[in-house]
Amino acid sequence: TAIGTISGGGGGGETVIIPRDIDNGVLKMPTASSYTLPSSVTSVEKGVFYYAFSECPELNTVDMSSLTSATGNSFNYAFYRCRNLTSVNFSSLTTISDYNTFNNAFNNCSSLSNIDFSSLTTISGNSTFTYAFTACSALSTINFPALTAITGPSVFQNAFGSAGLTSVSFPVLSTLTGDGAFRNCFRSCSSLTSISFPALTSTSFGSVTNQFSNMLLSSSNVTVHFPSNLQSVIGSWSDVTGGFGGRNSTVLFDLPATA
């Protein structure tokens, strides 16, 4: 079965044939303990892995390290309820665009503890990671060390609900113009203690003022850190003054000032 448009590094489209079984009307990948994307594949789009691995009980590791761009709900529900999945590698992925690309992708992957998005720089899509990591109870850390720009709406909406995260940092995120980008993002994250945004500046937000809407809904005792000069910029926003919807949350403008 051909499953969408896949492009190699030379820019020419190639069709990759991936056999899938039908289970209750859903096309699925054959059960396996690991999956590696062919090294020639650098971009995917148009639902390529839609529900592809969902509820594969033996899947343990996934290597998508050749991928540099993803778009068009390409991983929508891709790994949904893969309860033994522990590690996923997207280490070369730099850009995500269009809509629902990772929507519910890892929802209920209760053993997932390691996922690599170390090269991701730009997210311009709509609802990119909506519910993506919900109920990933073993996911204590996740890093986006190269992510500089979030311009799409609802990018991380409900992304980490009930995940096992303890702390999160977006060390170089300097553009945050996506409407509701972090809405309900860390909902019910009972182990979360700290979030930091050290690279945001006074010009990061454009005209949008609801990026953090209810970011900590049903979470408690979380401290959110911002650069000191942002108190005059966002210190009066209702989401900030309301503790992002969390209980006993603390907002500090205690990081070094930015431009």
Side-chain angles (χ1 to χ4, degrees), residues 98-230:
D98 214 343
Y99 61 95
N100 288 351
T101 306
F102 283 90
N103 174 49
N104 279 285
F106 306 98
N107 193 329
N108 271 278
C109 290
S110 54
S111 298
L112 182 64
S113 60
N114 179 44
I115 186 162
D116 189 341
F117 283 107
S118 56
S119 296
L120 183 62
T121 62
T122 306
I123 304 174
S124 59
N126 186 342
S127 304
T128 307
F129 287 103
T130 299
Y131 293 104
F133 306 98
T134 294
C136 289
S137 54
L139 190 65
S140 61
T141 60
I142 189 166
N143 297 304
F144 295 92
L147 183 60
T148 58
I150 297 175
T151 60
S154 306
V155 164
F156 284 108
Q157 180 171 315
N158 289 296
F160 299 99
S162 300
L165 294 175
T166 58
S167 64
V168 182
S169 178
F170 296 89
V172 297
L173 180 63
S174 58
T175 298
L176 183 56
T177 58
D179 181 77
F182 285 93
R183 183 181 291 118
N184 298 346
C185 180
F186 303 103
R187 182 174 184 171
S188 302
C189 287
S190 59
S191 299
L192 185 63
T193 61
S194 176
I195 306 172
S196 59
F197 296 95
L200 291 176
T201 73
S202 59
T203 60
S204 292
F205 309 102
S207 61
V208 182
T209 61
N210 69 342
Q211 288 92 328
F212 306 105
S213 179
N214 284 323
M215 181 174 71
L216 300 175
L217 188 67
S218 300
S219 293
S220 302
N221 302 308
V222 182
T223 300
V224 184
H225 302 269
F226 289 107
S228 58
N229 56 308
L230 290 194

